[in-house]
Amino acid sequence: KMVDPTLAEMGKNLNEAMKMLEDNQRKVEEENEKKYARKDIPGPLQGSGQDMVSILQLVQNLMHGEDEEETSQSYRLQNVGEQGHMALLGHSLAAYISVLDRERLRKLTTRILSDTTLWLCRLFRYENGSAYYHEDDREGLLKICRLVIHTRYEDYTIEGFNVLCTKQPVIYISAAARTGLGQALCNQLGLPLSCMCRVPCNTMFGSQHQMDVALLDRVIKDDVESGKLPLLLVANAGTPGAGHTDKLGRLKELCEQYNMWLHVEGVNLATLALGYVSSSVLAATKCDSMTLTLGSWLGLPAVPAVTLYRHEDPSLSLAAGLTSSQPVEKLRALPLWLSLQYLGHDGIVERIKHASQLSQRLLENLKNLDFIKTSVEDELSSPVVVFKFFQEYSNRDQTSHAAQASTIQHPIISNERHIYDTFNQWLGEQLAQLVPASGVDVVELEDEGTCVRFSPLMTSAVLGTEIQDIDQLVDCLKMKIPVLTSTLQLREEFEQEVRRTVGLLYIEDLGWPGLGVVRYNYHSEEKNDDKQEKELEKINTELLKKLNELESDLTFSLGPEFGGQKNCVYIGMVTEDLDVSELVETIAATGREIEENSRLLENMTEVVRKGIQEAQLQLQKANEERLLEEGLLRQIPVVGSVLNWFSPFQASAKGRTFNLTAGSLESTESTYVSKAQGTGTTPPPTPTSSLAKQRLPGQKAFKRSLRSSDGFSETSSISHCDDLEKMDQRPPALSLGQEQGPLETEKPEEQKEVMQAQTNPEDVHSAKPPPDCARGEDQASAR
């Protein structure tokens, strides 16, 4: 068949443009030019115009600019496949089709709209439905609300908002719905916020993310009795946070009882295309309307969301904006029409099925992991998996918390909740960084707190997630769990050690994912707070630098960029073999060393300054004395020279030397007399920290020695080393035929006596040896 040359050229240009935009390899010359000439700064419109290649190159530079290069690890562009090219081609075709004549355009748009609506209704089991295609996923619900208002208020088209004053409309939304959804609806509809009613979720029975049906029934009865008009109920088939589904069957019965409209939205609606659908989700096919977000489910870029609804009056649908008489408006469905044909029914079902298998694979692996708590609606099939790290008190320390029965009953108190939220926030960020293809993210839930969420229906088609990515995610999770448990267990011990150590101040920061926060507390007699604050910052900064220079597996930092404490050392995650006492002792000793060095430098600076001032005064005084000794005549230029030639003046050399150790000025007369410079007193040694704990070869700092587990205590090892040193200091045994040398003793008087005994051999036999020497001879003979 012949192909329209315009369509062929359009497809060719699209392929070339996508190839150019997806090519991230740029030449070195272009990168160097970008450093000096920013392309994203707005400039004047060129009069001569530019060609397509230059314009696409500009778009590429804006897409992959300098800001994205700096954060290349967290930046990930969606992988646009062939089906994505079809969706993008749809936008180009829509612009081309819009220039057709009106009759041909009407026939084409009607065919596209009817085909797409029929396919979607059959695919998601929604019989006799109509479709509204919209860019914003909230716009469909907004048009449905207008449709219901037009239906329930017959004179709304004529009288407008005056009709609403007779009976105030009420829209019911679950407390687990999207944030800001109710306010957005009220703003767009022109209704007060009192028309929006948030229905709480279950607290006693059922899922805590499902709407409380019994409470909703009572609220509706109270609104009816107070003269209000229940208008619409928004339910969830997969809440935005945990992915739970409301009891749609009971909610539908309640809506029929009070003549209300039931609208359903959520990610779990995608499972309606599968062969097996849970009964809770299958009940959504009986609702009055539902919103589908096919772009994220199928990995299609720039395709509209679809709202399927059932209504018999087309005039009211037209008044609400659900249908349009303009053919161009119907072309919104064109990208989706092309993409659905490209994928086919089997391709669509396979993508949704693959996402469900990924979530099931992860859920099965999480069941076998300790300290991981899952929150799923259905253990057999749950499209969204939410999990968190949680360690019971009984697992952490059974002995210390045995008496606190009430605490075990309610382990999550305020501080405990904050700590777990912080740790799970860190866990989610680490997993997302290590396995970016998994698409995990961090979610805040009202009851569970901070959790890690895996929703493959929203991410797998876009990121191309596979089974091996899930296995890699589980492996990374297994590596992080011991780190979390060890840090949580040693956190309290670290706090106690710091509080017991003089000079250290423990800073409680519940938002820091790590061992803890410590500050070296600098005490100064200075009353100037600014100077003391600068000195504190200087010491803690130097302390952080020295700690990072140590060979250890710990991470020391200044803390988060925003919201952290100032002048502190933040310690990150740790392992179970950490020696907390050694760590705290090292921090304290290093801080003291830095403080003493700082004070020594300050004292020396002050001493030098005073010495210089004193030296200046003494030199000035010496000059005055020299003038008096020389006389006035010698100061006259010509006369002084003649006088000095006839009668030279012998002046004594008087100099000064500055003793840094004593901090005083001294005369140089002794230096000129002895022709040598005096050494003075020995300066005090520079304070050093005694932190050098003997470690095994290859063992890093702050690690507990493996030998300690074999009953090898530090006191016994130290005493044993001292005995070995004493044995090395003893003299060797002497034979009878060898000449006996002087015995090494601690007192010099005893050595003199031994030397006298050896030089006078006649007295050796006549006089008694000293007691110490006798004992030395007895020890030698015994050896």
Side-chain angles (χ1 to χ4, degrees):
K1 295 181 181 180
M2 296 296 295
V3 180
D4 190 346
T6 306
L7 296 179
E9 185 68 19
M10 185 182 304
K12 181 180 178 182
N13 292 337
L14 179 64
N15 291 331
E16 293 178 356
M18 290 302 302
K19 184 178 180 181
M20 182 178 297
L21 293 178
E22 292 175 354
D23 185 14
N24 295 332
Q25 302 296 330
R26 292 182 294 269
K27 297 181 180 180
V28 180
E29 293 80 9
E30 296 174 354
E31 293 181 353
N32 294 333
E33 290 177 1
K34 283 180 58 181
K35 295 180 181 178
Y36 304 101
R38 292 289 301 271
K39 300 295 184 181
D40 52 351
I41 299 178
L45 182 64
Q46 297 185 9
S48 59
Q50 301 184 47
D51 56 357
M52 182 179 296
V53 177
S54 301
I55 297 174
L56 291 177
Q57 185 64 42
L58 175 61
V59 175
Q60 179 186 2
N61 294 336
L62 295 176
M63 290 172 57
H64 310 283
E66 296 178 359
D67 297 336
E68 285 78 5
E69 287 180 355
E70 295 176 358
T71 58
S72 58
Q73 295 181 356
S74 60
Y75 177 73
R76 184 182 179 89
L77 187 64
Q78 176 178 342
N79 184 18
V80 181
E82 289 293 333
Q83 74 281 356
H85 287 184
M86 295 299 297
L88 299 178
L89 180 61
H91 291 275
S92 302
L93 285 176
Y96 174 69
I97 294 174
S98 62
V99 301
L100 297 177
D101 60 89
R102 188 174 184 84
E103 184 63 23
R104 186 175 300 181
L105 178 61
R106 185 187 62 80
K107 292 182 179 180
L108 181 58
T109 53
T110 303
R111 172 64 184 273
I112 293 173
L113 192 63
S114 60
D115 284 350
T116 310
T117 303
L118 178 62
W119 298 337
L120 292 177
C121 289
R122 289 183 178 179
L123 189 62
F124 294 98
R125 309 185 184 196
Y126 198 81
E127 299 178 356
N128 301 324
S130 303
Y132 172 65
Y133 303 89
H134 46 92
E135 302 296 335
D136 189 358
D137 53 0
R138 297 176 299 183
E139 187 179 355
L141 177 58
L142 174 64
K143 297 298 177 64
I144 290 295
C145 291
R146 290 177 178 172
L147 174 63
V148 179
I149 291 176
H150 279 280
T151 304
R152 299 298 302 274
Y153 295 93
E154 297 180 357
D155 298 333
Y156 180 77
T157 306
I158 302 173
E159 300 184 10
F161 67 92
N162 292 325
V163 183
L164 305 179
C165 298
T166 58
K167 280 191 175 183
Q168 179 180 349
V170 182
I171 301 174
Y172 302 91
I173 294 182
S174 171
R178 286 181 290 172
T179 305
L181 178 61
Q183 184 176 2
L185 292 177
C186 289
N187 293 338
Q188 295 295 325
L189 295 173
L191 298 176
L193 292 179
S194 59
C195 294
M196 192 63 54
C197 178
R198 289 176 57 88
V199 182
C201 297
N202 296 324
T203 55
M204 299 296 295
F205 305 101
S207 171
Q208 295 181 348
H209 302 279
Q210 290 179 347
M211 196 183 305
D212 192 339
V213 182
L215 180 59
L216 175 62
D217 190 7
R218 293 196 298 268
V219 171
I220 295 176
K221 286 182 180 179
D222 295 340
D223 290 340
V224 172
E225 292 176 358
S226 60
K228 297 180 180 180
L229 180 63
L231 201 65
L232 180 139
L233 172 63
V234 182
N236 291 300
T239 55
H244 290 204
T245 303
D246 291 325
K247 299 176 181 179
L248 301 179
R250 295 183 57 187
L251 292 178
K252 179 59 179 176
E253 296 175 358
L254 195 62
C255 289
E256 291 178 350
Q257 178 181 351
Y258 293 99
N259 193 20
M260 295 172 56
W261 185 284
L262 177 61
H263 178 81
V264 181
E265 60 181 17
V267 67
N268 292 350
L269 292 175
T271 59
L272 290 172
L274 301 179
Y276 169 76
V277 186
S278 61
S279 58
S280 58
V281 180
L282 189 61
T285 58
K286 305 299 181 183
C287 65
D288 298 300
S289 60
M290 65 169 66
T291 298
L292 310 176
T293 55
L294 297 170
S296 57
W297 299 349
L298 305 178
L300 302 175
V303 296
V306 184
T307 296
L308 302 179
Y309 64 97
R310 297 190 184 97
H311 198 265
E312 298 178 355
D313 193 346
S315 61
L316 294 181
S317 300
L318 181 62
L322 288 170
T323 58
S324 176
S325 59
Q326 298 296 327
V328 180
E329 294 290 334
K330 301 178 181 179
L331 288 176
R332 290 180 181 177
L334 181 57
L336 193 58
W337 182 72
L338 295 175
S339 301
L340 292 179
Q341 290 186 87
Y342 182 84
L343 291 174
H345 184 274
D346 295 339
I348 296 172
V349 174
E350 183 61 30
R351 287 183 175 239
I352 299 176
K353 183 179 180 181
H354 176 69
S356 301
Q357 292 174 351
L358 292 176
S359 60
Q360 196 64 26
R361 178 68 171 263
L362 178 62
L363 183 59
E364 292 175 357
N365 288 318
L366 292 179
K367 293 178 182 178
N368 301 325
L369 296 180
D370 296 330
F371 310 116
I372 293 296
K373 182 179 180 181
T374 59
S375 175
V376 293
E377 181 182 13
D378 188 0
E379 295 290 341
L380 299 178
S381 61
S382 179
V384 180
V385 179
V386 176
F387 62 93
K388 62 180 294 186
F389 166 76
F390 184 78
Q391 189 176 7
E392 296 284 351
Y393 263 110
S394 58
N395 294 332
R396 288 169 53 187
D397 193 358
Q398 296 180 356
T399 58
S400 61
H401 298 278
Q404 302 178 2
S406 60
T407 308
I408 297 177
Q409 302 260 339
H410 305 282
I412 297 185
I413 55 178
S414 58
N415 290 350
E416 189 93 3
R417 170 71 176 266
H418 284 299
I419 293 176
Y420 275 112
D421 289 347
T422 302
F423 276 40
N424 283 284
Q425 177 80 24
W426 176 85
L427 177 61
E429 294 174 354
Q430 288 291 311
L431 294 178
Q433 182 179 1
L434 294 174
V435 193
S438 62
V440 295
D441 61 348
V442 179
V443 61
E444 296 284 343
L445 300 180
E446 184 176 356
D447 297 316
E448 290 84 354
T450 303
C451 300
V452 183
R453 178 179 58 185
F454 176 65
S455 182
L457 282 171
M458 300 297 293
T459 60
S460 63
V462 175
L463 300 178
T465 311
E466 298 294 339
I467 295 294
Q468 54 267 24
D469 296 325
I470 303 303
D471 297 338
Q472 183 182 0
L473 179 67
V474 175
D475 294 338
C476 293
L477 187 58
K478 290 179 180 179
M479 291 190 299
K480 297 300 179 183
I481 289 177
V483 177
L484 291 169
T485 55
S486 302
T487 305
L488 191 61
Q489 292 174 355
L490 297 176
R491 192 179 176 106
E492 184 176 355
E493 180 182 352
F494 175 76
E495 178 181 355
Q496 296 175 358
E497 287 287 341
V498 171
R499 295 188 185 277
R500 286 197 298 260
T501 305
V502 179
L504 296 183
L505 179 64
Y506 181 80
I507 306 298
E508 186 175 8
D509 191 349
L510 301 178
W512 172 249
L515 185 64
V517 186
V518 64
R519 173 189 296 163
Y520 185 80
N521 205 8
Y522 172 74
H523 296 285
S524 175
E525 298 179 356
E526 291 284 342
K527 296 183 179 180
N528 191 350
D529 295 337
D530 294 338
K531 185 176 180 181
Q532 189 171 0
E533 184 73 17
K534 292 181 179 179
E535 189 66 24
L536 180 65
E537 180 181 1
K538 178 181 177 182
I539 292 178
N540 284 276
T541 303
E542 185 67 21
L543 174 62
L544 175 64
K545 180 181 178 181
K546 287 187 175 295
L547 291 175
N548 283 323
E549 292 175 356
L550 299 177
E551 295 182 1
S552 66
D553 294 333
L554 300 182
T555 56
F556 303 95
S557 65
L558 293 175
E561 184 178 0
F562 303 102
Q565 297 287 337
K566 295 177 60 178
N567 305 328
C568 296
V569 177
Y570 285 74
I571 306 174
M573 293 289 179
V574 299
T575 53
E576 60 181 355
D577 56 351
L578 173 68
D579 193 339
V580 178
S581 60
E582 180 189 355
L583 172 62
V584 176
E585 179 186 356
T586 302
I587 296 175
T590 306
R592 286 193 297 267
E593 177 184 348
I594 297 173
E595 181 182 3
E596 291 173 2
N597 290 337
S598 177
R599 289 181 176 178
L600 179 62
L601 182 60
E602 289 182 357
N603 296 335
M604 185 175 296
T605 304
E606 184 67 20
V607 168
V608 170
R609 186 181 63 81
K610 292 181 179 179
I612 292 174
Q613 294 177 355
E614 184 179 355
Q616 290 177 349
L617 294 176
Q618 293 189 10
L619 288 176
Q620 184 178 1
K621 184 179 180 181
N623 289 332
E624 295 176 354
E625 294 177 354
R626 184 176 60 83
L627 291 176
L628 293 176
E629 291 179 1
E630 292 180 356
L632 182 61
L633 293 177
R634 294 182 184 272
Q635 309 305 321
I636 301 175
V638 179
V639 177
S641 300
V642 175
L643 186 60
N644 288 332
W645 183 74
F646 282 105
S647 174
F649 179 78
Q650 301 293 333
S652 60
K654 295 182 180 180
R656 296 292 186 270
T657 179
F658 183 71
N659 192 340
L660 290 176
T661 304
S664 61
L665 285 175
E666 299 177 357
S667 177
T668 58
E669 294 180 359
S670 60
T671 303
Y672 288 107
V673 171
S674 62
K675 303 288 174 68
Q677 186 174 0
T679 57
T681 58
T682 305
T686 303
T688 57
S689 59
S690 58
L691 352 149
K693 177 181 177 181
Q694 295 189 3
R695 295 189 291 267
L696 297 177
Q699 182 182 2
K700 294 186 177 182
F702 316 127
K703 296 289 185 181
R704 287 199 298 265
S705 177
L706 298 177
R707 300 172 63 182
S708 61
S709 59
D710 300 332
F712 193 83
S713 62
E714 293 183 1
T715 54
S716 63
S717 63
I718 294 175
S719 61
H720 183 63
C721 294
D722 294 340
D723 294 341
L724 292 177
E725 293 178 358
K726 292 180 180 179
M727 291 292 293
D728 294 339
Q729 294 176 359
R730 293 179 181 177
L734 301 177
S735 61
L736 297 177
Q738 293 177 339
E739 181 180 0
Q740 185 178 1
L743 297 177
E744 295 181 1
T745 58
E746 296 179 356
K747 298 181 180 180
E749 293 81 6
E750 297 173 358
Q751 293 183 0
K752 291 181 180 180
E753 294 175 359
V754 173
M755 293 298 294
Q756 292 175 0
Q758 291 180 347
T759 54
N760 299 324
E762 297 177 355
D763 298 334
V764 173
H765 300 285
S766 60
K768 285 187 177 181
D772 293 338
C773 293
R775 285 197 300 269
E777 292 175 356
D778 294 339
Q779 291 177 0
S781 61
R783 289 197 294 269

